[in-house]
Amino acid sequence: MVISAAPLIYAAIFFAVFLMVQGLYLLFFGKSISLNSRVNRRLQMLEKGTGREQVLDQLRKEMSQHLKSRSIPIYAILAKKAQKANIAFTPQQLVMVMAGLCVVSYVLLSVMTATSQQIRILISIVMGVGAVYVWVDNTAKKRMALLEEQLPDAVELMVRSLRVGHPFSAAVNIVAKEVPDPLGSEMGVIADEAAYGRDLGDALKDLAERVEMQDMRFLAVAVTIQQTSGGNLAEILDGLAKVIRSRFRLFRRVKAITAEAKWSAVFLSGFPLMALVGIQVLQPGYYDDVKETAVFIPAALGVGVMLTLNVFVMRMLVNIKV
C-alpha cells in the first residue's frame, strides 16, 4: 500500500497561509485590532496622542471603505463580510494580501509537491483567496456575536447613566469608555460624531444598517422616537434592554437545541470529502481501473453536484428563523 502525502501537504499549506493572514494583520495594526483586547482600539489610539478628529476620520474610513469598493474584481465576494468584520486593511491592501498569499502558496507547492504547473497555479489561487475569505468570514462572525452579546449590557449602562441625570450623548460617551471592542469603538465614533454636530438617531441608524443587526435597529428607532415625540428615555431603553436580553437568551436556547442537527449536517456534508481524501492518502491508485472509462467523468461531476446540493439542503434544514 502506497501512502500519498499530497492531501496532507495541501491542508498544511492552507493552514499556514491562513495563519499568515492573521499574523500580517496583527503586525500592521498591533494587538489593539484584535477582538480579544479588553481595551477598545479608539481609546488606545487616543492614549497614544492621536487627535480626536484624526481618530474619528480613520475609524470612519475603515467602517465604510469596503462596501464602496465592491467593483474591484474578486473583492466583491467578501466586501460585505469585510464590512461587518470592520477589517482595517483597505480593499486594495486586502487584494494585495491575496496576491501575496497566492505567490507564497505557489512557492510552497513547488517545493513540497511534484504536481504540474497548471495544477499548482490553480491550487495556489484557491488557497490565497480562500484563506483570506475564511479569515474575513470568521472575523465577521466573531465580531457580530460579540456585538450582540455586548449590546444589552451597553443599553443597561445607558439607562443607569440617564437615571442619574446625564444626557443621552454623555451616556453614549460612557459606553464608549467602559465597553471593550467591538461595541466600544463603534459607540466612540457615534459620540465623536455627536460632538461635531451629527444627530445621534441618524448615527445609530447608520450603525444599525452597517452591521445589519436587528437589535441595534430597535435602539436607533427608540432614540429617534424619543427625540421627536418626547418621553422618558431611561424607561424606554430599560424595556428595550429586557427585550434584547430575552431575544439573546432565546437565540442561545435555539442554538443549543439545534446544535446536534447542525453537527450532523456538517458531518454528513463533510464525510464524503474526508473519505475521498482518506482513499487518496491510503491508496492513491484506487480509481486507476475506472478513471479512463466513459462514465467516470460524468459520474464524478454528478457526485460533485449532489454534494453541493447536499450542503445547501442541510443549511436550509438547520437554519431556524426566530
Side-chain angles (χ1 to χ4, degrees):
M1 181 177 65
V2 180
I3 297 178
S4 174
L8 299 179
I9 293 174
Y10 294 154
I13 293 175
F14 180 82
F15 185 68
V17 171
F18 176 78
L19 292 179
M20 196 176 296
V21 182
Q22 181 68 24
L24 289 172
Y25 197 54
L26 294 177
L27 178 65
F28 276 97
F29 299 101
K31 291 184 179 180
S32 65
I33 201 70
S34 173
L35 293 176
N36 297 321
S37 176
R38 301 308 300 172
V39 179
N40 70 60
R41 183 169 174 237
R42 171 179 167 270
L43 291 181
Q44 289 191 350
M45 293 170 68
L46 291 172
E47 288 176 358
K48 291 179 180 179
T50 309
R52 186 178 182 182
E53 186 174 354
Q54 287 75 22
V55 172
L56 176 61
D57 288 340
Q58 181 176 343
L59 293 178
R60 289 185 66 182
K61 180 182 178 182
E62 292 174 1
M63 291 173 180
S64 61
Q65 62 185 345
H66 298 287
L67 289 182
K68 294 180 180 178
S69 304
R70 284 177 291 182
S71 59
I72 299 177
I74 301 177
Y75 191 75
I77 62 176
L78 53 78
K80 196 170 184 179
K81 293 184 180 295
Q83 185 74 28
K84 290 184 177 181
N86 197 32
I87 301 299
F89 279 136
T90 65
Q92 293 77 12
Q93 289 172 338
L94 210 51
V95 172
M96 290 174 61
V97 169
M98 285 184 190
L101 294 178
C102 290
V103 173
V104 171
S105 300
Y106 179 79
V107 172
L108 292 175
L109 288 169
S110 300
V111 172
M112 301 177 69
T113 65
T115 55
S116 63
Q117 183 177 6
Q118 292 83 356
I119 295 177
R120 290 200 304 270
I121 293 174
L122 177 61
I123 294 177
S124 63
I125 293 174
V126 171
M127 285 186 175
V129 177
V132 173
Y133 181 85
V134 171
W135 171 68
V136 171
D137 184 55
N138 288 340
T139 305
K141 289 179 179 178
K142 181 178 179 180
R143 187 170 186 269
M144 293 303 298
L146 283 173
L147 279 172
E148 292 175 353
E149 187 174 351
Q150 290 176 323
L151 186 58
D153 294 331
V155 175
E156 289 178 350
L157 183 57
M158 292 179 190
V159 171
R160 291 194 293 270
S161 178
L162 291 170
R163 283 176 174 169
V164 298
H166 291 147
F168 183 66
S169 57
V172 172
N173 198 33
I174 291 173
V175 171
K177 292 179 180 179
E178 298 296 332
V179 177
D181 275 342
L183 189 58
S185 290
E186 292 283 3
M187 287 298 178
V189 169
I190 292 175
D192 289 342
E193 289 177 338
Y196 286 107
R198 188 179 186 188
D199 181 73
L200 279 169
D202 292 338
L204 287 168
K205 285 179 183 178
D206 182 63
L207 170 59
E209 294 304 320
R210 188 170 65 249
V211 300
E212 295 183 351
M213 185 174 167
Q214 190 63 37
D215 293 335
M216 194 68 73
R217 292 190 179 100
F218 292 158
L219 175 61
V221 170
V223 173
T224 302
I225 291 175
Q226 192 276 337
Q227 286 178 337
T228 55
S229 60
N232 190 333
L233 185 57
E235 294 300 324
I236 295 173
L237 295 185
D238 184 47
L240 178 62
K242 293 177 181 178
V243 171
I244 294 174
R245 196 172 292 281
S246 298
R247 280 168 49 84
F248 186 71
R249 284 199 298 266
L250 179 59
F251 288 143
R252 284 291 180 90
R253 185 176 180 184
V254 171
K255 186 176 181 180
I257 293 173
T258 59
E260 182 180 355
K262 288 183 178 181
W263 280 109
S264 298
V266 170
F267 176 78
L268 292 174
S269 300
F271 179 76
L273 297 178
M274 291 187 293
L276 179 62
V277 172
I279 290 172
Q280 291 300 310
V281 170
L282 298 176
Q283 196 170 350
Y286 184 79
Y287 294 105
D288 289 349
D289 295 336
V290 296
K291 68 181 182 180
E292 301 298 334
T293 60
V295 298
F296 180 77
I297 298 298
L301 292 175
V303 170
V305 171
M306 295 300 291
L307 286 175
T308 303
L309 290 175
N310 170 73
V311 172
F312 288 105
V313 171
M314 288 294 182
R315 290 189 65 178
M316 287 188 293
L317 289 175
V318 299
N319 185 22
I320 298 177
K321 300 294 184 181
V322 179

Coordinates of all heavy atoms in Angstrom, one line a residue, residues 130-201:
G130 N -9.0 31.8 -0.8 CA -9.8 31.1 0.2 C -9.3 31.4 1.6 O -10.2 31.5 2.5
A131 N -8.0 31.5 1.8 CA -7.6 31.8 3.2 C -8.0 33.1 3.7 O -8.5 33.3 4.8 CB -6.0 31.7 3.2
V132 N -8.0 34.1 2.8 CA -8.4 35.5 3.2 C -9.9 35.4 3.4 O -10.5 36.0 4.3 CB -8.1 36.5 2.1 CG1 -8.7 37.8 2.4 CG2 -6.6 36.6 2.0
Y133 N -10.7 34.7 2.5 CA -12.1 34.7 2.7 C -12.5 34.0 4.0 O -13.4 34.5 4.7 CB -12.7 33.9 1.5 CG -14.3 33.8 1.5 CD1 -15.0 34.9 1.0 CD2 -14.9 32.7 2.1 CE1 -16.4 34.8 1.1 CE2 -16.3 32.7 2.2 CZ -17.0 33.7 1.7 OH -18.4 33.6 1.7
V134 N -11.9 32.9 4.3 CA -12.2 32.2 5.6 C -11.9 33.0 6.8 O -12.6 33.1 7.7 CB -11.4 30.8 5.6 CG1 -11.6 30.2 7.0 CG2 -12.0 29.9 4.5
W135 N -10.7 33.7 6.7 CA -10.3 34.6 7.8 C -11.3 35.8 8.0 O -11.8 36.0 9.1 CB -8.9 35.1 7.6 CG -8.5 36.2 8.5 CD1 -8.3 36.1 9.9 CD2 -8.4 37.6 8.2 NE1 -7.9 37.3 10.4 CE2 -8.0 38.2 9.4 CE3 -8.5 38.4 7.1 CZ2 -7.7 39.6 9.5 CZ3 -8.2 39.7 7.2 CH2 -7.8 40.3 8.4
V136 N -11.7 36.4 6.9 CA -12.7 37.5 7.0 C -14.0 37.0 7.5 O -14.7 37.7 8.3 CB -12.8 38.2 5.6 CG1 -14.0 39.2 5.6 CG2 -11.5 38.9 5.2
D137 N -14.5 35.9 7.0 CA -15.8 35.3 7.4 C -15.7 35.0 8.9 O -16.7 35.3 9.6 CB -16.1 34.1 6.6 CG -17.4 33.5 6.9 OD1 -18.4 34.2 6.8 OD2 -17.5 32.3 7.2
N138 N -14.7 34.4 9.4 CA -14.6 34.0 10.8 C -14.5 35.3 11.7 O -15.2 35.4 12.7 CB -13.3 33.2 11.1 CG -13.5 31.8 10.5 OD1 -14.6 31.3 10.3 ND2 -12.4 31.1 10.3
T139 N -13.8 36.3 11.2 CA -13.7 37.6 11.9 C -15.1 38.2 12.0 O -15.5 38.8 13.0 CB -12.7 38.5 11.3 OG1 -11.4 37.8 11.2 CG2 -12.5 39.8 12.1
A140 N -15.8 38.2 10.9 CA -17.1 38.9 10.8 C -18.1 38.1 11.8 O -18.9 38.8 12.5 CB -17.7 38.8 9.4
K141 N -18.1 36.8 11.8 CA -19.0 36.1 12.7 C -18.6 36.3 14.1 O -19.5 36.5 15.0 CB -18.9 34.6 12.4 CG -19.5 34.2 11.1 CD -19.3 32.7 10.8 CE -20.0 32.3 9.5 NZ -19.8 30.8 9.2
K142 N -17.4 36.4 14.5 CA -17.0 36.6 15.8 C -17.3 38.0 16.3 O -17.8 38.2 17.4 CB -15.4 36.4 16.0 CG -14.9 36.6 17.4 CD -13.4 36.4 17.4 CE -12.9 36.6 18.9 NZ -11.4 36.4 18.9
R143 N -17.1 39.0 15.4 CA -17.5 40.4 15.7 C -18.9 40.6 15.9 O -19.4 41.3 16.8 CB -16.9 41.3 14.6 CG -17.0 42.8 15.0 CD -16.3 43.6 14.0 NE -16.3 45.0 14.4 CZ -17.2 45.9 14.0 NH1 -18.2 45.5 13.2 NH2 -17.2 47.2 14.4
M144 N -19.8 40.0 15.0 CA -21.2 40.2 15.2 C -21.7 39.5 16.4 O -22.6 40.0 17.1 CB -21.9 39.6 13.9 CG -21.6 40.3 12.6 SD -22.1 42.0 12.7 CE -23.8 41.9 13.0
A145 N -21.1 38.3 16.8 CA -21.5 37.6 18.0 C -21.2 38.5 19.2 O -22.0 38.6 20.2 CB -20.9 36.3 18.1
L146 N -20.0 39.1 19.2 CA -19.6 40.0 20.3 C -20.6 41.2 20.4 O -20.9 41.6 21.5 CB -18.2 40.4 20.2 CG -17.1 39.4 20.5 CD1 -15.7 39.9 20.1 CD2 -17.2 39.0 22.0
L147 N -20.9 41.8 19.3 CA -21.8 43.0 19.3 C -23.2 42.6 19.9 O -23.7 43.3 20.7 CB -22.0 43.5 17.9 CG -20.9 44.4 17.3 CD1 -21.2 44.7 15.8 CD2 -20.9 45.7 18.1
E148 N -23.7 41.4 19.5 CA -25.0 41.0 20.0 C -24.9 40.7 21.5 O -25.9 41.0 22.3 CB -25.4 39.7 19.3 CG -25.8 40.0 17.8 CD -26.1 38.7 17.1 OE1 -25.9 37.6 17.7 OE2 -26.6 38.7 16.0
E149 N -23.8 40.2 22.0 CA -23.6 39.9 23.4 C -23.4 41.2 24.2 O -23.9 41.3 25.4 CB -22.4 39.0 23.6 CG -22.3 38.5 25.0 CD -21.2 37.4 25.1 OE1 -20.6 37.0 24.1 OE2 -20.8 37.1 26.3
Q150 N -22.7 42.2 23.7 CA -22.4 43.4 24.4 C -23.6 44.4 24.5 O -23.7 45.2 25.4 CB -21.2 44.1 23.8 CG -19.9 43.4 24.0 CD -18.8 44.1 23.2 OE1 -19.0 44.6 22.1 NE2 -17.6 44.1 23.8
L151 N -24.5 44.4 23.5 CA -25.5 45.4 23.4 C -26.4 45.5 24.6 O -26.7 46.6 25.1 CB -26.3 45.2 22.1 CG -27.3 46.3 21.8 CD1 -26.6 47.6 21.7 CD2 -28.1 46.0 20.5
P152 N -26.9 44.4 25.2 CA -27.8 44.5 26.3 C -27.1 45.2 27.5 O -27.7 46.1 28.2 CB -28.2 43.1 26.7 CG -28.0 42.3 25.4 CD -26.8 43.0 24.7
D153 N -25.9 44.8 27.8 CA -25.1 45.5 28.9 C -24.9 47.0 28.6 O -25.0 47.8 29.5 CB -23.8 44.8 29.1 CG -23.9 43.3 29.6 OD1 -24.9 43.1 30.2 OD2 -23.1 42.5 29.3
A154 N -24.6 47.3 27.3 CA -24.4 48.7 27.0 C -25.7 49.5 27.2 O -25.6 50.6 27.7 CB -23.9 48.8 25.5
V155 N -26.8 49.0 26.8 CA -28.1 49.7 26.9 C -28.4 49.9 28.4 O -28.9 50.9 28.8 CB -29.2 49.0 26.2 CG1 -30.6 49.6 26.4 CG2 -28.9 48.9 24.7
E156 N -28.2 48.9 29.2 CA -28.4 49.0 30.6 C -27.5 50.0 31.3 O -27.8 50.7 32.2 CB -28.2 47.6 31.3 CG -29.3 46.6 31.0 CD -29.1 45.3 31.6 OE1 -28.0 45.1 32.2 OE2 -30.1 44.5 31.6
L157 N -26.2 50.1 30.8 CA -25.3 51.2 31.2 C -25.8 52.5 30.9 O -25.7 53.5 31.7 CB -23.9 50.9 30.6 CG -22.8 51.9 31.1 CD1 -22.6 51.8 32.6 CD2 -21.5 51.5 30.4
M158 N -26.4 52.7 29.7 CA -27.0 53.9 29.3 C -28.2 54.3 30.2 O -28.4 55.4 30.6 CB -27.6 53.9 27.8 CG -26.5 53.8 26.8 SD -27.3 53.6 25.1 CE -25.9 53.2 24.1
V159 N -29.0 53.3 30.6 CA -30.2 53.5 31.4 C -29.7 54.0 32.8 O -30.3 55.0 33.3 CB -31.0 52.2 31.6 CG1 -32.0 52.4 32.7 CG2 -31.6 51.8 30.3
R160 N -28.7 53.4 33.4 CA -28.2 53.9 34.7 C -27.6 55.3 34.6 O -27.8 56.1 35.5 CB -27.1 52.9 35.2 CG -27.6 51.5 35.6 CD -26.6 50.7 36.4 NE -25.5 50.4 35.6 CZ -25.4 49.3 34.8 NH1 -26.4 48.4 34.8 NH2 -24.3 49.0 34.2
S161 N -27.0 55.6 33.5 CA -26.4 56.9 33.3 C -27.5 58.0 33.2 O -27.4 59.1 33.7 CB -25.5 57.0 32.1 OG -25.0 58.3 31.8
L162 N -28.6 57.6 32.4 CA -29.7 58.6 32.3 C -30.4 58.8 33.6 O -30.9 59.9 33.9 CB -30.7 58.0 31.2 CG -30.2 58.0 29.7 CD1 -31.1 57.2 28.9 CD2 -30.0 59.4 29.2
R163 N -30.5 57.8 34.4 CA -31.3 57.9 35.6 C -30.6 58.7 36.7 O -31.2 59.3 37.6 CB -31.6 56.5 36.2 CG -32.7 55.8 35.5 CD -32.9 54.4 35.9 NE -34.1 53.8 35.3 CZ -34.5 52.5 35.4 NH1 -33.7 51.7 36.0 NH2 -35.6 52.1 34.8
V164 N -29.2 58.9 36.5 CA -28.5 59.8 37.5 C -28.4 61.2 36.9 O -27.8 62.0 37.5 CB -27.1 59.2 37.8 CG1 -27.2 57.9 38.5 CG2 -26.3 59.2 36.5
G165 N -29.1 61.4 35.8 CA -29.1 62.8 35.3 C -28.3 63.2 34.1 O -28.3 64.3 33.6
H166 N -27.5 62.2 33.5 CA -26.7 62.5 32.4 C -27.6 62.6 31.1 O -28.5 61.9 31.0 CB -25.7 61.5 32.2 CG -24.6 61.4 33.2 ND1 -24.0 60.3 33.7 CD2 -24.1 62.4 34.0 CE1 -23.1 60.6 34.6 NE2 -23.2 61.9 34.8
P167 N -27.2 63.5 30.1 CA -27.9 63.5 28.8 C -27.5 62.2 28.1 O -26.5 61.6 28.4 CB -27.4 64.8 28.2 CG -26.0 65.0 28.8 CD -26.2 64.6 30.2
F168 N -28.3 62.0 27.0 CA -28.0 60.7 26.2 C -26.7 60.7 25.6 O -26.0 59.7 25.5 CB -29.1 60.5 25.2 CG -29.0 59.3 24.4 CD1 -29.2 58.0 25.0 CD2 -28.7 59.3 23.1 CE1 -29.0 56.8 24.4 CE2 -28.6 58.1 22.4 CZ -28.7 56.9 23.0
S169 N -26.2 61.9 25.1 CA -24.9 61.9 24.5 C -23.8 61.6 25.5 O -22.8 60.9 25.2 CB -24.6 63.4 24.0 OG -24.7 64.3 25.0
A170 N -23.9 62.0 26.8 CA -23.0 61.6 27.8 C -23.1 60.1 28.1 O -22.1 59.4 28.4 CB -23.2 62.4 29.1
A171 N -24.3 59.5 28.0 CA -24.5 58.1 28.3 C -23.7 57.3 27.2 O -23.1 56.3 27.5 CB -25.9 57.8 28.3
V172 N -23.8 57.8 25.9 CA -23.1 57.1 24.9 C -21.6 57.2 25.0 O -20.9 56.2 24.8 CB -23.6 57.7 23.5 CG1 -22.7 57.1 22.4 CG2 -25.0 57.4 23.2
N173 N -21.2 58.3 25.5 CA -19.7 58.5 25.7 C -19.2 57.6 26.8 O -18.1 57.1 26.8 CB -19.5 60.0 26.1 CG -18.0 60.4 25.9 OD1 -17.3 59.8 25.0 ND2 -17.5 61.2 26.7
I174 N -20.1 57.4 27.9 CA -19.7 56.5 29.0 C -19.5 55.1 28.4 O -18.6 54.3 28.8 CB -20.7 56.6 30.1 CG1 -20.6 57.9 30.8 CG2 -20.5 55.4 31.1 CD1 -21.7 58.2 31.8
V175 N -20.5 54.6 27.6 CA -20.4 53.3 27.0 C -19.1 53.2 26.2 O -18.5 52.2 26.2 CB -21.7 53.0 26.1 CG1 -21.5 51.8 25.3 CG2 -22.9 53.0 27.0
A176 N -18.8 54.3 25.4 CA -17.6 54.2 24.6 C -16.3 54.0 25.4 O -15.3 53.5 25.0 CB -17.5 55.5 23.8
K177 N -16.3 54.5 26.7 CA -15.2 54.4 27.5 C -15.1 53.1 28.3 O -14.1 52.6 28.7 CB -15.1 55.6 28.5 CG -14.9 56.9 27.8 CD -14.9 58.1 28.8 CE -14.6 59.4 28.2 NZ -14.6 60.5 29.1
E178 N -16.3 52.6 28.7 CA -16.3 51.4 29.6 C -16.4 50.1 28.9 O -16.1 49.1 29.5 CB -17.5 51.6 30.5 CG -17.5 52.8 31.4 CD -16.3 52.8 32.4 OE1 -15.9 51.7 32.8 OE2 -15.8 53.9 32.8
V179 N -17.0 50.1 27.7 CA -17.2 48.8 27.0 C -16.0 48.5 26.0 O -15.6 49.4 25.3 CB -18.5 48.9 26.2 CG1 -18.8 47.6 25.4 CG2 -19.7 49.1 27.1
P180 N -15.5 47.3 26.0 CA -14.4 46.9 25.1 C -14.9 46.8 23.7 O -16.1 46.9 23.4 CB -13.9 45.6 25.6 CG -15.1 45.0 26.4 CD -15.8 46.2 26.9
D181 N -14.0 46.6 22.8 CA -14.4 46.4 21.4 C -15.2 45.1 21.2 O -15.0 44.2 22.0 CB -13.1 46.4 20.5 CG -12.7 47.8 20.1 OD1 -13.5 48.7 20.2 OD2 -11.5 48.0 19.7
P182 N -16.0 45.0 20.1 CA -16.2 46.0 19.1 C -17.1 47.1 19.3 O -17.1 48.2 18.7 CB -16.7 45.1 17.9 CG -17.5 44.1 18.6 CD -16.7 43.8 19.9
L183 N -18.0 47.0 20.3 CA -19.1 48.0 20.6 C -18.5 49.3 21.1 O -19.0 50.4 20.8 CB -20.1 47.5 21.5 CG -21.4 48.3 21.7 CD1 -22.1 48.5 20.3 CD2 -22.3 47.7 22.7
G184 N -17.4 49.2 21.9 CA -16.8 50.4 22.5 C -16.3 51.4 21.4 O -16.7 52.6 21.5
S185 N -15.6 51.0 20.4 CA -15.2 51.9 19.3 C -16.3 52.4 18.5 O -16.3 53.5 18.1 CB -14.1 51.2 18.5 OG -12.9 51.0 19.2
E186 N -17.3 51.5 18.3 CA -18.5 51.9 17.5 C -19.2 53.1 18.2 O -19.6 54.1 17.6 CB -19.4 50.7 17.3 CG -18.9 49.7 16.4 CD -19.0 50.0 14.9 OE1 -19.4 51.2 14.6 OE2 -18.6 49.2 14.0
M187 N -19.4 52.9 19.5 CA -20.1 53.9 20.3 C -19.2 55.2 20.4 O -19.7 56.3 20.5 CB -20.5 53.4 21.7 CG -21.6 52.4 21.6 SD -23.1 53.2 21.0 CE -24.3 51.8 21.0
G188 N -17.9 55.0 20.4 CA -17.0 56.1 20.5 C -17.1 57.0 19.2 O -17.1 58.2 19.3
V189 N -17.2 56.3 18.1 CA -17.4 57.1 16.8 C -18.7 57.8 16.9 O -18.8 59.0 16.4 CB -17.4 56.1 15.6 CG1 -17.8 56.8 14.4 CG2 -16.0 55.5 15.5
I190 N -19.8 57.2 17.4 CA -21.1 57.9 17.5 C -21.0 59.1 18.4 O -21.5 60.2 18.1 CB -22.2 56.9 18.0 CG1 -22.4 55.9 16.9 CG2 -23.4 57.7 18.3 CD1 -23.4 54.8 17.3
A191 N -20.3 58.9 19.5 CA -20.1 60.1 20.5 C -19.3 61.2 19.9 O -19.6 62.4 20.0 CB -19.4 59.6 21.8
D192 N -18.2 60.9 19.1 CA -17.5 61.9 18.4 C -18.3 62.6 17.4 O -18.2 63.8 17.2 CB -16.2 61.3 17.8 CG -15.2 60.8 18.9 OD1 -15.3 61.3 20.0 OD2 -14.3 60.0 18.6
E193 N -19.1 61.8 16.6 CA -19.9 62.5 15.6 C -20.9 63.4 16.2 O -21.2 64.5 15.7 CB -20.6 61.4 14.8 CG -19.7 60.6 13.8 CD -20.4 59.5 13.1 OE1 -21.4 59.0 13.6 OE2 -19.9 59.0 12.0
A194 N -21.5 63.0 17.3 CA -22.4 63.9 18.0 C -21.8 65.1 18.5 O -22.4 66.2 18.5 CB -23.1 63.1 19.2
A195 N -20.5 65.0 19.0 CA -19.8 66.2 19.4 C -19.5 67.2 18.3 O -19.4 68.4 18.5 CB -18.5 65.7 20.0
Y196 N -19.4 66.6 17.1 CA -19.2 67.5 15.9 C -20.5 67.9 15.2 O -20.5 68.5 14.1 CB -18.3 66.8 14.9 CG -16.9 66.8 15.3 CD1 -16.3 65.6 15.8 CD2 -16.1 68.0 15.4 CE1 -15.0 65.6 16.2 CE2 -14.8 67.9 15.8 CZ -14.2 66.8 16.2 OH -12.9 66.7 16.6
G197 N -21.7 67.6 15.8 CA -23.0 68.1 15.4 C -23.9 67.1 14.7 O -25.0 67.5 14.3
R198 N -23.5 65.9 14.6 CA -24.4 64.9 13.9 C -25.5 64.5 14.9 O -25.3 64.3 16.1 CB -23.6 63.7 13.4 CG -24.5 62.8 12.5 CD -23.7 61.6 12.0 NE -24.6 60.8 11.1 CZ -24.2 59.7 10.5 NH1 -23.1 59.1 10.9 NH2 -25.0 59.1 9.7
D199 N -26.7 64.2 14.3 CA -27.8 63.7 15.1 C -27.5 62.3 15.6 O -27.1 61.4 14.8 CB -29.1 63.8 14.3 CG -30.3 63.3 15.1 OD1 -30.7 64.1 16.0 OD2 -30.8 62.2 14.9
L200 N -27.8 62.0 16.9 CA -27.5 60.7 17.5 C -28.4 59.6 16.9 O -27.9 58.5 16.6 CB -27.7 60.8 19.0 CG -26.5 61.3 19.8 CD1 -27.0 61.6 21.3 CD2 -25.3 60.4 19.8
G201 N -29.6 60.0 16.6 CA -30.5 59.0 16.0 C -30.0 58.6 14.6 O -30.0 57.4 14.3

